[in-house]
Amino acid sequence: MKRFFDDIEVDNPFSLIADVDSNGDAVADKLDWDKIFPVLPLRNMVLFPGIVMPVSVGRASSLKLIRAAMKDESEIAVFCQVNAEVDYPDFVDLHTVGTLAKIVRILEMPDHSVTVILHGLTRIILNDVVENDPYMRGHISSYREIKPEPNDDNYKMLLDSCKDRVLKYMKTVDSNNPGEMGFAVQNISNSQSLINFVCANFPISKDEKVRLLSFPKLSQRAFHLLELLNREIQYAEIKASIISKAKEDIDQQQREYFLQQQMKTIQNELGDSVEDQEYDELQKKGEAKKWSKDVAEYFQKELNKLLHINQQSPDYNVQLNYLQTMLNLPWDECTEDNLNIKNAEKVLDKDHFGLKKVKERILEHLSVLKLKKDFKSPIICLYGPPGVGKTSLGRSIAAALKRKYIRMSLGGVHDEAEIRGHRKTYIGAMPGRILKGLIKAGSSNPVFILDEIDKISSDRQGDPASALLEVLDPEQNNTFHDNYLDLDYDLSKVMFIATANNIGTIPAPLLDRMELIEVSGYILEEKVEIARKHLIPKAIVANGLEDVNLRFTRQAIEKIIGSYTRESGVRELEKKINKIMRKQARFVAEDGQVHDEVIKPGNVPFYLGKEEYFNDKYQGNEYAGVVTGLAWTAVGGEILFIETSLSKGKGNKLTLTGNLGDVMKESAMLAFEYVHSHAAALGIPYEVFDNWNVHVHVPEGAIPKDGPSAGITMTTAIASALTQRKVRANLAMTGEITLRGKVLPVGGIKEKILAAKRAGITDIIMCRENERDILDIEPMYIDGLTFHYVDDVREVLDYALLDEKVANPLDLSK
């Protein structure tokens, strides 16, 4: 603004603006509106009455117009184009409301462009364009403004508000320098000139300015201008707030950068810089590592990259973390194995009772390692019910070998990156848990427990079980590839021991890579020994009773196991023993002595309450159709009674109850059909099947039961009921049958025969192929039992059914 008024050499430009209003009205009064005026089209500018404005002229026709008007000292009509892109506008291309103007001066600029100074006089309306050559001329009519009354207080308040808004806007945009516009607004006294001055100079769009010029009343123009001022002030405040916040962030960054540069300069003066110190430290560590030539060259290459990265860059920390990970990995750094076989056996026996197969496999591995020195570590999978010591066994193996011990729980892991890691280019990338475990161990040959491997899940992030295929393959894991490390790492020296409860959920390719060792549930005798040697001494220390003479009788331990726990492992047993110890600790704390120095069977209910479980006992053979079977459960073996009864009816109807599964129902149907088809050999009249219905029930109907091992038991029960012959006393049996009557082997033999022994059974019938399972059981556990091995159901019936009939037998001939 100041430069423009200096160019036209006006001493007080704002007084000129203030005096224009009356001059414009005078011009409007004297004009002959029937006269044709030259029309100057403007692209993006709107001229208001009373305003002096410079306009750059580029069109040839416009240059001719201003030179002719300057020569004749005539007024020209100024209108804004609707579309600034139109080079040769016509009537339809112009806004119809414009301003009559007088040319003040024509300036020839140094770059040969022409600028004309226009002085707006009054508002006009373009009615039509009469010619376009050599320049545009049009028919113009007056459009006078309706001014408010001199004493209109509302208009005065509106005018003051406009002034305040303009000044606030200028302060918002530049709080230190309100500018010449703010100074002009404060000094313009004429209301019309003030409104027009603000409309012309305020940064609003061309269309908004045309709309302001078009209002018939000056008060309407002022009111709409106030709305625009309020809107622009809000925009300016938001913009200023954003700029201020951004400036604060930039200032903080600049401050930190400045301080870092100062530190760098000081360190350079004192000696090496931080980057040089870190580089030298990493290089020294790299030279001390026992890695191959290829890995050493790769490390040096990655280390050299660090020198070319700015320390303030995020990439610097990414690269530094990667190099530190490489250095922290135990490349070919192994602990020395204790290959004393006797010592290893002693440690394993001390920590765990039983588990004979597992211990033998570990000792075999030690023996081969002692002879060959470079034997690859095996991949072992221990599977069995919870609480049998699968996980703790890994710690004992590590102690026996004097290796580092690492445990990784795989329960619920569903991201493949947990095993293989992330690419180092990602934000927050890190190696997989396999390499992190080795870093934690500081050794390349630890005992690595992969706990709960059967509980791995998969989703859109990948399949961790598939990633483990490389880890658990002795032929592949010597070149294990972690995504973060991006180098091959040798895992062949790691002894991986996986644990699982159910191998049925483990994918077949993964299962094939592991050596499966079953850790079956503990029998009563083993639980007693575990309690005596491990659980009770541990509980005494845990409850602060070391100075107290406290012991359990064997019968008391058996009472706790039989009446208060039902599990394969010993977790629940440990809880019950700790409960007794806590009660004893309270007595010691209150009275200074224990309540019972010797825990006997009669004392157990005092500490643990009423009995929670009851073991089934053999109930005799006074009833026809009741046979004792043997069943396996997750918490050990149990005896199972198969009851068969007959009822008069249309016949040939078999009813099954007792919450039986599909396989067990099929066994009952097979048994019934076998007896039906061999009725003559068993001495059963065929009329019986026409007049009597058979009902087979397995007690404890709330407990689901399934499996094929009750096949021969059901056959014997149905045959006993239909012949009314007694079943041999103290006899139990287990085995699957076929429709031809062949007896097939079943599993869980160890648990079943121990359950039979606890129930008072003396004779057991089973498939001949199960004899090999009996040979694996220690003689002390089967002492007092007689085994009868059979191949056919006829052999079972010949031995199990006596010729003697039960008392008061049913008359089946009717």
Side-chain angles (χ1 to χ4, degrees):
M1 179 67 76
K2 185 175 186 304
R3 181 182 60 78
F4 159 65
F5 285 118
D6 288 345
D7 288 343
I8 62 174
E9 299 178 352
V10 178
D11 294 334
N12 189 355
F14 300 112
S15 64
L16 173 64
I17 294 171
D19 295 339
V20 166
D21 185 38
S22 58
N23 295 337
D25 290 341
V27 171
D29 290 338
K30 296 175 182 179
L31 282 173
D32 181 4
W33 292 116
D34 293 333
K35 183 179 178 181
I36 303 300
F37 283 91
V39 176
L40 178 64
L42 303 181
R43 292 184 186 271
N44 284 309
M45 303 178 72
V46 179
L47 180 64
F48 283 80
I51 302 302
V52 178
M53 184 174 70
V55 178
S56 295
V57 180
R59 296 188 183 104
S61 59
S62 297
L63 288 171
K64 292 177 182 180
L65 184 151
I66 62 172
R67 293 188 191 284
M70 187 69 179
K71 182 179 180 181
D72 298 340
E73 296 184 355
S74 62
E75 293 81 4
I76 64 174
V78 181
F79 293 93
C80 182
Q81 291 182 201
V82 176
N83 184 359
E85 302 297 327
V86 178
D87 292 328
Y88 303 101
D90 205 346
F91 177 75
V92 296
D93 299 315
L94 300 176
H95 290 284
T96 56
V97 177
T99 304
L100 191 67
K102 181 179 180 181
I103 298 176
V104 178
R105 177 176 297 179
I106 298 175
L107 304 175
E108 301 285 345
M109 307 305 290
D111 59 354
H112 304 294
S113 62
V114 177
T115 300
V116 58
I117 309 300
L118 297 179
H119 179 194
L121 300 175
T122 188
R123 291 195 309 175
I124 55 177
I125 294 177
L126 177 64
N127 296 314
D128 195 10
V129 173
V130 298
E131 64 176 331
N132 288 308
D133 190 34
Y135 47 79
M136 186 183 295
R137 292 161 62 83
H139 183 253
I140 307 300
S141 62
S142 176
Y143 185 30
R144 295 186 62 131
E145 290 182 319
I146 302 173
K147 300 179 182 178
E149 296 295 329
N151 296 325
D152 190 344
D153 293 335
N154 290 334
Y155 177 71
K156 290 179 181 179
M157 294 177 65
L158 184 61
L159 205 64
D160 290 340
S161 298
C162 287
K163 282 185 179 182
D164 292 340
R165 298 285 89 185
V166 171
L167 294 175
K168 183 172 182 180
Y169 174 80
M170 300 306 296
K171 289 181 180 179
T172 303
V173 174
D174 189 353
S175 59
N176 298 322
N177 181 19
E180 293 181 356
M181 184 176 177
F183 178 76
V185 168
Q186 288 177 316
N187 289 275
I188 296 175
S189 58
N190 185 281
S191 62
Q192 183 179 5
S193 298
L194 174 64
I195 298 300
N196 289 341
F197 176 76
V198 176
C199 289
N201 292 281
F202 199 70
I204 54 180
S205 67
K206 174 259 298 181
D207 293 334
E208 291 284 3
K209 290 183 178 182
V210 171
R211 187 182 177 198
L212 287 168
L213 184 63
S214 302
F215 281 113
K217 292 183 180 180
L218 187 62
S219 59
Q220 290 178 325
R221 184 185 304 170
F223 186 80
H224 187 63
L225 176 63
L226 183 61
E227 290 180 343
L228 294 176
L229 288 169
N230 285 327
R231 184 191 71 184
E232 294 301 321
I233 287 172
Q234 291 179 5
Y235 289 163
E237 287 176 345
I238 294 172
K239 184 177 178 181
S241 175
I242 295 172
I243 292 174
S244 175
K245 291 179 181 178
K247 186 174 183 299
E248 288 177 3
D249 293 340
I250 293 172
D251 289 345
Q252 180 65 22
Q253 291 177 5
Q254 289 176 339
R255 180 175 178 273
E256 292 175 357
Y257 176 77
F258 177 72
L259 293 174
Q260 291 286 353
Q261 291 300 315
Q262 281 187 323
M263 289 175 60
K264 192 173 180 180
T265 303
I266 294 170
Q267 288 166 348
N268 286 335
E269 291 294 328
L270 294 174
D272 291 339
S273 64
V274 174
E275 294 94 328
D276 293 338
Q277 291 176 2
E278 287 180 341
Y279 180 88
D280 293 341
E281 183 179 351
L282 292 172
Q283 192 166 41
K284 288 179 181 177
K285 289 182 178 179
E287 292 171 354
K289 296 297 289 186
K290 299 178 181 178
W291 45 31
S292 65
K293 182 180 178 181
D294 292 340
V295 177
E297 290 177 355
Y298 183 83
F299 174 79
Q300 189 62 43
K301 178 182 175 182
E302 294 295 315
L303 183 60
N304 292 336
K305 287 182 183 179
L306 196 68
L307 289 176
H308 299 90
I309 302 176
N310 190 326
Q311 194 177 15
Q312 304 303 318
S313 171
D315 293 337
Y316 183 85
N317 283 329
V318 171
Q319 187 69 7
L320 184 61
N321 289 337
Y322 176 73
L323 293 170
Q324 289 174 342
T325 299
M326 283 191 69
L327 290 171
N328 290 334
L329 279 169
W331 301 83
D332 290 333
E333 297 175 13
C334 300
T335 56
E336 185 176 351
D337 289 331
N338 181 6
L339 300 178
N340 187 327
I341 309 301
K342 295 293 184 183
N343 178 70
E345 185 177 11
K346 181 179 178 181
V347 171
L348 293 174
D349 288 339
K350 176 184 176 183
D351 294 342
H352 288 81
F353 184 84
L355 305 178
K356 183 178 179 182
K357 289 183 180 179
V358 183
K359 293 176 182 178
E360 284 182 356
R361 181 64 186 88
I362 300 303
L363 295 176
E364 288 169 1
H365 167 67
L366 285 180
S367 302
V368 175
L369 188 63
K370 184 175 182 179
L371 297 176
K372 199 174 178 183
K373 303 295 184 185
D374 61 347
F375 181 67
K376 292 181 179 179
S377 292
I379 311 295
I380 296 173
C381 178
L382 307 177
Y383 70 96
V388 295
K390 299 184 298 296
T391 304
S392 60
L393 184 64
R395 191 183 299 275
S396 299
I397 294 171
L401 295 172
K402 291 192 175 179
R403 289 191 180 187
K404 299 289 185 178
Y405 170 80
I406 297 295
R407 174 186 165 274
M408 182 174 81
S409 177
L410 295 175
V413 172
H414 57 83
D415 188 355
E416 183 184 342
E418 293 279 343
I419 308 299
R420 289 189 178 276
H422 307 80
R423 300 283 298 179
K424 66 178 179 179
T425 53
Y426 296 152
I427 295 174
M430 61 181 68
R433 292 171 67 180
I434 300 292
L435 291 191
K436 285 201 293 187
L438 295 180
I439 292 174
K440 181 179 178 182
S443 166
S444 285
N445 65 335
V447 174
F448 208 120
I449 303 298
L450 301 174
D451 216 1
E452 310 292 352
I453 198 171
D454 57 325
K455 296 176 180 62
I456 293 179
S457 59
S458 61
D459 61 6
R460 58 180 180 80
Q461 293 174 312
D463 184 5
S466 298
L468 282 173
L469 293 176
E470 182 184 10
V471 176
L472 300 181
D473 190 340
E475 299 300 324
Q476 298 181 36
N477 63 10
N478 59 337
T479 55
F480 172 68
H481 190 88
D482 185 275
N483 290 328
Y484 181 82
L485 183 63
D486 204 22
L487 284 170
D488 290 339
Y489 193 90
D490 186 6
L491 297 179
S492 62
K493 300 181 181 66
V494 180
M495 178 180 283
F496 288 104
I497 299 178
T499 69
N501 298 130
N502 180 15
I503 59 175
T505 61
I506 303 175
L510 184 60
L511 197 64
D512 183 60
R513 283 164 165 77
M514 298 185 290
E515 184 176 340
L516 300 178
I517 299 178
E518 182 181 7
V519 184
S520 58
Y522 295 114
I523 59 177
L524 175 65
E525 289 77 4
E526 289 175 332
K527 287 183 180 180
V528 170
E529 293 301 317
I530 291 171
R532 286 180 56 251
K533 295 180 179 179
H534 301 282
L535 302 183
I536 293 175
K538 180 181 176 182
I540 288 175
V541 174
N543 291 279
L545 298 173
E546 300 97 316
D547 299 331
V548 178
N549 184 18
L550 180 65
R551 62 188 181 88
F552 287 69
T553 65
R554 184 181 185 87
Q555 292 75 18
I557 299 174
E558 291 178 354
K559 173 87 171 170
I560 298 170
I561 296 170
S563 301
Y564 294 91
T565 68
R566 181 163 288 186
E567 57 177 346
S568 293
V570 291
R571 284 202 183 111
E572 190 67 24
L573 176 59
E574 185 177 13
K575 292 176 185 177
K576 299 300 182 183
I577 291 173
N578 273 291
K579 186 175 181 179
I580 295 174
M581 294 298 180
R582 287 194 300 271
K583 286 187 178 291
Q584 292 281 29
R586 180 176 177 182
F587 287 121
V588 173
E590 290 179 353
D591 305 329
Q593 61 181 3
V594 295
H595 186 269
D596 296 297
E597 289 188 359
V598 180
I599 306 297
K600 299 179 180 179
N603 306 132
V604 173
F606 172 76
Y607 296 98
L608 300 181
K610 63 180 182 179
E611 296 183 7
E612 299 177 16
Y613 304 103
F614 299 92
N615 289 323
D616 291 324
K617 296 294 183 181
Y618 177 71
Q619 298 177 357
N621 64 342
E622 300 302 320
Y623 300 95
V626 179
V627 182
T628 306
L630 299 175
W632 178 92
T633 68
V635 294
E638 291 183 357
I639 64 171
L640 194 69
F641 296 106
I642 306 295
E643 300 177 347
T644 305
S645 66
L646 304 178
S647 60
K648 292 286 287 184
K650 293 182 180 180
N652 205 23
K653 179 182 177 183
L654 176 65
T655 303
L656 305 174
T657 56
N659 201 352
L660 308 183
D662 290 340
V663 176
M664 205 164 184
K665 288 179 180 178
E666 291 176 356
S667 294
M669 294 171 64
L670 279 172
F672 181 73
E673 291 298 329
Y674 179 85
V675 173
H676 194 171
S677 61
H678 293 79
L682 294 172
I684 304 173
Y686 282 107
E687 299 80 37
V688 171
F689 296 97
D690 296 329
N691 301 318
W692 296 83
N693 295 324
V694 178
H695 184 173
V696 177
H697 175 69
V698 183
E700 297 187 54
I703 301 175
K705 310 168 191 72
D706 202 3
S709 60
I712 62 173
T713 313
M714 288 182 170
T715 305
T716 306
I718 294 172
S720 172
L722 292 173
T723 60
Q724 294 292 292
R725 293 163 64 184
K726 281 188 175 184
V727 178
R728 190 177 296 273
N730 301 313
L731 174 68
M733 59 187 71
T734 182
E736 183 180 358
I737 64 166
T738 69
L739 193 58
R740 295 174 297 157
K742 184 173 178 59
V743 180
L744 302 179
V746 293
I749 295 299
K750 180 180 178 182
E751 289 81 2
K752 290 177 179 179
I753 63 171
L754 291 170
K757 186 176 180 181
R758 288 194 297 269
I761 300 295
T762 58
D763 292 88
I764 297 176
I765 299 176
M766 64 178 62
C767 178
R768 192 173 304 280
E769 293 181 26
N770 281 127
E771 185 176 1
R772 62 178 182 268
D773 297 303
I774 303 300
L775 299 177
D776 287 338
I777 302 174
E778 295 185 28
M780 60 175 289
Y781 297 141
I782 59 177
D783 184 36
L785 294 175
T786 303
F787 297 96
H788 305 273
Y789 303 108
V790 296
D791 295 310
D792 192 272
V793 176
R794 288 298 302 271
E795 298 177 57
V796 177
L797 298 178
D798 289 344
Y799 181 79
L801 297 181
L802 302 176
D803 294 333
E804 180 186 357
K805 294 195 180 258
V806 296
N808 303 317
L810 293 174
D811 187 1
L812 301 179
S813 62
K814 296 180 181 180

